[in-house]
Amino acid sequence: MDKPVCFIDTDSAGKLRVQQSALKILEQIQQPVVVVAVVGLYRTGKSHLMNRLAGKQTGFALGSTTESKTKGIWMWCVSHPTKAGTTLVLLDTEGLGDVDKGDPKHDTNIFSLAVLLSSTLVYNSRGTIDNKAVMDLQYVTELSECIKVKSSDEDADDSSEFVKFFPSFIWALRDFTLELKIDGKDVPEDEYLEFALKLKPGTSRSVIEYNFPRECIQKFFPSRKCFTFPFPTAPENMSRLGSLASADISSEFLKVTDHFCKFVFHDSCVKRLKVGHTVTGRVLGHLAKTYVDTISSGAVPCLENAVIAMATIENKAAVKEGLQVYQSEMEKLKDSFPLELKDVFSEHQHLSSTATQAFMKRSFKDTDGKYLKSLEVGNIIKLFDEHLCQNEHASKKRCEEILSSLSAPMMVKLKKGFYAKPGGYDLFCKDLEDIVNKYNSQAKKEVKAEEILEEFLKQKSVDSKAILQADKKLTEKEKKIKEEKEKAALLEQEIKAREEKLRQLEEKMEAERQSNEEMMRQMKEKMDEEMRLQREETERAMNRKLREQADLLQKSFKEEADVMRQEMEEFKRQNTESNRAGELVAILENSSRRHEEEVAMMMQQRSVQMMAIQQMIVRSEAEINRAREFAAIVENSSRRHEELMAKMIQQHREHMMAVHSSNGCRTM
């Protein structure tokens, strides 16, 4: 973006709304985002700081009058200057305390949105951090009424959990002219801030009112930083601050500004949801829409509901994204059909794993695996089956083309009656055998090779029978033998086709089993990572609470320390529950085991079918052997008959020659 755009403003009815143009910009940002929001009273120079963070002199509008210049929340997305692969999102908010606003809740809503959307919140004010400055930050005290963590109990105060996901806090003091001293000693800026937030002992009403905003700041924002900025330039130049050259700006102001920018770039974290999920530009847009719509409806934004809404949106999109990865690559593979089944299975496993990775990258809080199952079972397996069918269709077509080409000369001979003569059956069988041999050589890697050959041989058996019955060279016994041989050959081919189909089914089941194992492995890794993030989130919150508790005890605020101890006990309990999420992994493993058991059962059923087929093969082979034995007996009988006939003919010839010789002698 070369300039900021309006992100959130109000409609004609005064209700907050998100600009669609801004959502479209965020939708294109797939990178993690660091979100820095600035809030503060109007006309305190917030926009100038944001322009500096963007690395620009101008951008966000700078006002030069007593009127608030920025309305709503404006957004500027730039590449993060120090974190590669990350986008820096700057949010410049409408100045708080503008007298022209009609809705008294408007400022609170703007402040709440800045807290909810940012990973670093910059509070900008002028002068010193005195009691008035702290009281001006009254919006912090209203956060417990404006933001809910859980949806289960709307009346419960769950503000103790804000520390887990609230942004880090920076107090930017503008036009600071005092010396940083406490009790006559020089102190750093952060110590000055902590001194200003120090609680007073006592229980009187005035003490409670004094302590309340300070307690809220300490409780909600345990990570705090302070920067004190001197006057940037002479008063007469302030209206032209955005266009002033560096030489016209105070060197001390530039030094602090540079220090401020470097700190923000280095220490501001990537925005994360309550469950630890990294926020991208797209997710930030969805969050803003969810929060703004909730506020506009009069309800209180709930982080748990927002996470659930985001999970639903992102998981549905993750399913679509994963499916697109699988479908687009399988469509490319389709151009190469027909392929060997092992090649299709190999590509399916690779693409299924890639699709699952794409899904995992975008999905979150899919604890029961509902959406992952939808991707794998409801979509990928369906597409896989469709592509297998298309591959089979392409293979069938190629096999038919091969057979059509190889059998073309035979078809010509059939039409001309070439085989309708004595000995024609043997000629037909010889031609058919040549066709089968050539076909097996050319189509041996085709998925439908055996099945199409079976169909072809069945079709040709009709011609074969007709030719066999018309062949006058063969005796009835010989015809019977050849008919039995042909039946045996057809049965043998049918068995081969069934065996091949069963083998292919087993290969498919094995491919699906391996894909399922890979899916479960990736899901376990995803859940382990989410659990790790939740534990880290809880541990960070606990460490902050421990530091605060120690500080309170040191300052003799025992009652507040006891309350904090109870909060830490609650964090420990939640951390234990987070660890129990490992049970979900066990559920996944059980699901995987059940799947394997189902596959094993199916394999057992296939084994039974295989045994039945093998028994059929044994019976068929026995029939073939009996047919061959019968054929051998007939052939032996025929051969002995021929030998006997030859002997008788020879004897007859010798007899005739002897008679002829005897008659010749008598004549002489």
Side-chain angles (χ1 to χ4, degrees):
M1 293 175 60
D2 55 355
K3 62 180 180 179
V5 298
C6 183
F7 185 21
I8 299 169
D9 65 354
T10 54
D11 59 18
S12 57
K15 290 187 175 182
L16 291 170
R17 64 182 179 185
V18 181
Q19 288 291 326
Q20 289 299 317
S21 56
L23 289 178
K24 288 180 180 178
I25 292 171
L26 289 173
E27 183 68 28
Q28 303 304 314
I29 300 176
Q30 308 298 324
Q31 297 178 333
V33 292
V34 173
V35 187
V36 180
V38 62
V39 295
L41 299 178
Y42 76 103
R43 298 298 303 117
T44 54
K46 301 185 307 300
S47 300
H48 179 73
L49 278 184
M50 300 305 275
N51 288 338
R52 290 290 184 169
L53 287 173
K56 303 290 184 180
Q57 187 77 4
T58 59
F60 288 111
L62 304 180
S64 58
T65 67
T66 58
E67 180 186 6
S68 175
K69 194 69 176 177
T70 302
K71 298 296 182 181
I73 299 178
W74 283 65
M75 176 184 77
W76 199 351
C77 302
V78 297
S79 296
H80 199 288
T82 62
K83 296 177 181 176
T86 305
T87 297
L88 178 63
V89 180
L90 303 173
L91 301 180
D92 187 15
T93 65
E94 180 177 343
L96 307 175
D98 189 349
V99 294
D100 291 335
K101 297 171 188 172
D103 185 0
K105 284 189 173 182
H106 183 78
D107 283 351
T108 303
N109 291 336
I110 291 292
F111 187 86
S112 298
L113 285 171
V115 170
L116 289 168
L117 296 175
S118 66
S119 49
T120 294
L121 182 71
V122 180
Y123 179 67
N124 193 78
S125 69
R126 278 181 169 168
T128 61
I129 307 179
D130 54 15
N131 191 50
K132 181 181 181 304
V134 175
M135 297 307 291
D136 283 341
L137 197 47
Q138 59 178 319
Y139 312 101
V140 176
T141 66
E142 300 171 5
L143 286 176
S144 60
E145 299 175 5
C146 300
I147 299 173
K148 288 294 178 185
V149 177
K150 299 177 182 177
S151 60
S152 55
D153 190 349
E154 294 184 359
D155 296 327
D157 181 7
D158 49 15
S159 59
S160 62
E161 294 199 31
F162 286 176
V163 65
K164 287 184 181 180
F165 48 84
F166 265 26
S168 58
F169 181 84
I170 298 176
W171 195 317
L173 275 172
R174 308 294 295 277
D175 305 340
F176 187 81
T177 57
L178 300 179
E179 293 183 3
L180 287 172
K181 289 180 179 292
I182 298 176
D183 297 331
K185 296 180 179 180
D186 292 334
V187 295
E189 296 162 318
D190 293 347
E191 192 172 331
Y192 171 72
L193 172 60
E194 295 308 309
F195 180 79
L197 298 178
K198 185 178 179 181
L199 304 181
K200 285 184 178 181
T203 57
S204 66
R205 181 174 179 179
S206 61
V207 169
I208 291 173
E209 289 177 352
Y210 178 90
N211 286 344
F212 185 48
R214 290 166 173 80
E215 286 176 340
C216 289
I217 295 172
Q218 292 179 11
K219 182 179 180 181
F220 301 158
F221 304 102
S223 175
R224 300 181 290 273
K225 182 72 178 173
C226 181
F227 288 92
T228 56
F229 295 81
F231 276 99
T233 186
E236 61 269 18
N237 293 331
M238 287 298 295
S239 61
R240 300 183 294 109
L241 184 59
S243 59
L244 288 179
S246 297
D248 297 323
I249 299 177
S250 163
S251 60
E252 186 61 26
F253 178 85
L254 292 176
K255 179 181 177 181
V256 176
T257 301
D258 182 61
H259 184 206
F260 167 80
C261 291
K262 286 180 178 178
F263 177 84
V264 170
F265 296 152
H266 183 268
D267 285 57
S268 293
C269 300
V270 168
K271 175 69 176 174
R272 295 187 184 277
L273 293 179
K274 178 176 175 285
V275 292
H277 183 74
T278 299
V279 173
T280 62
R282 179 186 63 246
V283 173
L284 181 65
H286 290 318
L287 279 175
K289 186 77 168 58
T290 300
Y291 291 141
V292 168
D293 288 350
T294 302
I295 291 172
S296 296
S297 70
V300 176
C302 174
L303 290 160
E304 186 175 67
N305 290 343
V307 169
I308 292 171
M310 286 305 97
T312 300
I313 293 171
E314 287 298 289
N315 287 335
K316 286 181 178 178
V319 170
K320 187 176 180 182
E321 197 168 295
L323 185 62
Q324 178 62 31
V325 168
Y326 182 88
Q327 189 170 16
S328 61
E329 293 302 315
M330 282 299 277
E331 284 298 315
K332 295 177 184 176
L333 186 69
K334 191 168 69 173
D335 296 336
S336 304
F337 284 172
L339 292 171
E340 286 188 67
L341 210 55
K342 65 181 181 65
D343 294 332
V344 181
F345 288 158
S346 175
E347 189 66 11
H348 160 71
Q349 287 175 268
H350 168 68
L351 293 179
S352 177
S353 176
T354 305
T356 302
Q357 288 174 8
F359 171 85
M360 293 297 183
K361 187 176 180 181
R362 183 162 184 174
S363 73
F364 71 98
K365 212 172 174 59
D366 184 24
T367 50
D368 57 357
K370 170 186 172 184
Y371 291 97
L372 180 58
K373 186 176 180 181
S374 168
L375 171 65
E376 292 291 334
V377 178
N379 291 285
I380 286 181
I381 290 180
K382 182 181 177 182
L383 277 175
F384 179 44
D385 288 340
E386 288 176 0
H387 281 83
L388 283 178
C389 289
Q390 291 170 2
N391 188 56
E392 288 178 358
H393 179 75
S395 178
K396 179 181 178 181
K397 185 178 179 182
R398 178 175 290 181
C399 290
E400 288 173 344
E401 289 173 351
I402 293 172
L403 282 173
S404 176
S405 175
L406 293 174
S407 63
M410 173 185 277
M411 298 303 295
V412 173
K413 290 180 180 180
L414 282 170
K415 287 180 180 179
K416 292 182 177 180
F418 176 78
Y419 303 111
K421 60 184 179 181
Y425 180 78
D426 288 337
L427 293 173
F428 177 83
C429 290
K430 178 64 172 63
D431 287 347
L432 185 61
E433 184 181 358
D434 289 342
I435 291 171
V436 171
N437 289 337
K438 290 178 181 178
Y439 171 80
N440 286 333
S441 176
Q442 295 180 32
K444 61 182 178 181
K445 293 184 178 181
E446 292 296 332
V447 176
K448 304 291 282 185
E450 299 296 343
E451 186 178 328
I452 299 305
L453 180 58
E454 179 192 356
E455 293 175 1
F456 175 77
L457 292 177
K458 284 181 178 178
Q459 292 170 1
K460 290 294 168 271
S461 67
V462 177
D463 296 324
S464 177
K465 287 177 182 177
I467 294 170
L468 177 61
Q469 295 304 319
D471 195 335
K472 295 180 179 179
K473 183 181 178 181
L474 301 173
T475 65
E476 290 302 318
K477 286 184 178 180
E478 290 173 328
K479 289 179 180 179
K480 181 65 176 176
I481 293 168
K482 292 187 181 293
E483 188 176 348
E484 289 299 323
K485 283 184 176 180
E486 187 173 324
K487 285 181 181 179
L490 286 172
L491 181 59
E492 191 173 358
Q493 181 58 39
E494 182 181 348
I495 291 169
K496 284 177 67 177
R498 289 186 182 182
E499 285 180 331
E500 178 61 19
K501 188 171 286 189
L502 182 60
R503 185 189 65 79
Q504 292 174 6
L505 180 60
E506 289 174 347
E507 284 187 11
K508 181 188 176 187
M509 291 172 65
E510 176 61 19
E512 289 180 353
R513 185 190 66 79
Q514 292 180 11
S515 295
N516 185 68
E517 283 184 354
E518 174 63 16
M519 176 189 72
M520 290 300 174
R521 184 192 65 77
Q522 290 191 35
M523 187 165 190
K524 184 178 182 300
E525 284 184 358
K526 174 81 171 180
M527 293 186 68
D528 287 345
E529 176 64 14
E530 289 185 351
M531 285 189 289
R532 184 187 65 79
L533 290 172
Q534 288 187 41
R535 284 195 297 270
E536 287 180 356
E537 179 184 88
T538 303
E539 287 169 4
R540 281 195 300 270
M542 286 180 64
N543 290 334
R544 290 168 181 171
K545 290 290 184 182
L546 280 169
R547 288 196 298 271
E548 287 188 52
Q549 184 190 37
D551 188 52
L552 287 170
L553 285 171
Q554 186 179 358
K555 296 173 182 176
S556 301
F557 287 90
K558 186 177 183 304
E559 186 176 334
E560 288 85 349
D562 288 341
V563 172
M564 195 162 292
R565 180 183 55 76
Q566 293 174 6
E567 291 175 356
M568 285 190 291
E569 289 297 325
E570 176 64 16
F571 284 168
K572 288 179 181 177
R573 184 189 65 78
Q574 293 175 4
N575 201 29
T576 301
E577 290 181 355
S578 175
N579 291 333
R580 286 177 189 159
E583 294 174 5
L584 290 171
V585 176
I587 292 172
L588 283 175
E589 291 174 346
N590 288 335
S591 173
S592 178
R593 187 162 55 251
R594 285 197 301 272
H595 176 79
E596 290 176 356
E597 288 171 356
E598 290 172 2
V599 170
M601 187 178 295
M602 291 177 67
M603 292 293 286
Q604 180 64 27
Q605 292 172 352
R606 298 298 178 229
S607 297
V608 172
Q609 293 178 6
M610 187 68 177
M611 288 177 64
I613 290 174
Q614 287 173 344
Q615 289 172 2
M616 184 190 300
I617 292 171
V618 171
R619 289 195 300 271
S620 300
E621 287 177 345
E623 290 177 8
I624 292 169
N625 289 334
R626 284 197 297 273
R628 286 172 178 166
E629 289 171 0
F630 177 72
I633 292 169
V634 173
E635 287 175 356
N636 289 335
S637 175
S638 177
R639 187 164 56 251
R640 287 196 298 271
H641 177 73
E642 289 174 354
E643 289 173 353
L644 181 60
M645 287 296 294
K647 188 175 181 180
M648 290 174 65
I649 291 170
Q650 180 64 28
Q651 290 174 349
H652 178 71
R653 285 177 179 170
E654 290 175 353
H655 176 71
M656 290 300 293
M657 288 176 66
V659 171
H660 180 70
S661 176
S662 175
N663 289 337
C665 290
R666 282 198 296 271
T667 302
M668 291 178 66

